[in-house]
Amino acid sequence: MSGGDIAIRARGLTKCFGELRAVDDVDLTVERRQVYGFLGPNGSGKSTSIRMLCGLLTPTDGEIEVLGLRIPEQAETLRQRIGYMTQQFSLFADLTLQENLEFLAAVQNLPPKKARERVDELLEEYHFSDRANQLAGTMSGGQKQRLALAGSVIHNPELLFLDEPTSAVDPESRRDFWEKLFELADAGTTILVSSHYMDEAERCHRLAILDRGVLVADGSPAELTGRLADRTLEIKGEHPRQAKHIVLTVSGVISAAQIGNSLRVLCAEAGDCAARIQDALANASVDAEVVPAAPNLEDVFVAVTNKQPQQQPSEHS
Ligand SMILES: Nc1ncnc2c1ncn2[C@@H]1O[C@H](COP(=O)(O)OP(=O)(O)O)[C@@H](O)[C@H]1O
Ligand SMILES: [Mg+2]
């Protein structure tokens, strides 16, 4: 792969805060025009990594090259070519939508005529034309994040860093937001996006999973789930709670999570785990059926972090 196809390359990326190794020897390669997901529990080092890759934070150790620039040395040049957006609403609540975008255009030094054209274009593309004069503070959480996204691409950056952009957003707005991300990726933008939502992770071209600062897995969703082949089971029965207690005592079982009336079980290796579970349930006179299940990214997350992923808010929240 030639250097021109690579948007981000980090080797041995490390950040210490006193005794804490918040990011620990991370190697990362992100190809251009990809949507690359950054996954991990709270405190796993996602934001710290992103800040270093943008040139906002100096690494303790390691090498970073972004869009062919050495970071942090050439961070000033990089800044004009990237966009950066975080979970926090980063717009002015007491300015209108249009004024917010005009302000960001000025910050990016767009000439006045170009700025006007670009603001109009974004208002249109992001479906805000009819509310250009509304105060940003009066919008819903999802609308605010969509406006923040529009603002972060005002200068047509080649690369976008999005740090948990949809954490505080309802599921429908999250889908809208991801539609925009794919439009940007189709138009050639590289996107690095952190998230703790598994449905978002499924949509990424590739992803990296961090745990306590360490990169514990990376690959395409299919590669990552493929590594768990024959290690995921579903247990269906009348008494899932009772079954769970028994299943967790069986050797080789890593986790058992109740989902509705069934249990989802992850085994340490493919093999005779299902048979051992079946025996244990039969010995305890618990009537249940053990069937193979196709592995998903939640299973991957559990397998590499030993934690259950954070659940997404319900459709009503
Ligand atoms: N400026 C800082 N000073 C000290 N500790 C920090 C600082 N920033 C982050 N940390 C710590 O580093 C770890 C990783 O944090 P962070 O990168 O924010 O994780 P994530 O974004 O995955 O939730 C956490 O333990 C956090 O408390
Ligand atoms: Mg964070």
Side-chain angles (χ1 to χ4, degrees), residues 41-48 50-51 87 163-164 194:
N42 271 336
S44 56
K46 301 182 296 294
S47 297
T48 304
I50 289 175
R51 287 189 198 115
Q87 179 187 340
D163 192 2
E164 301 209 18
S194 70

Side-chain angles (χ1 to χ4, degrees), residues 4 29 36 64 124 127 134 140 158 195 205 241 245 257 308:
T29 304
Y36 195 98
I64 305 173
E124 173 89 32
H127 313 299
Q134 187 181 330
S140 74
E158 293 158 65
S195 176
H205 297 118
R241 269 163 48 81
H245 283 297
Q308 293 293 335

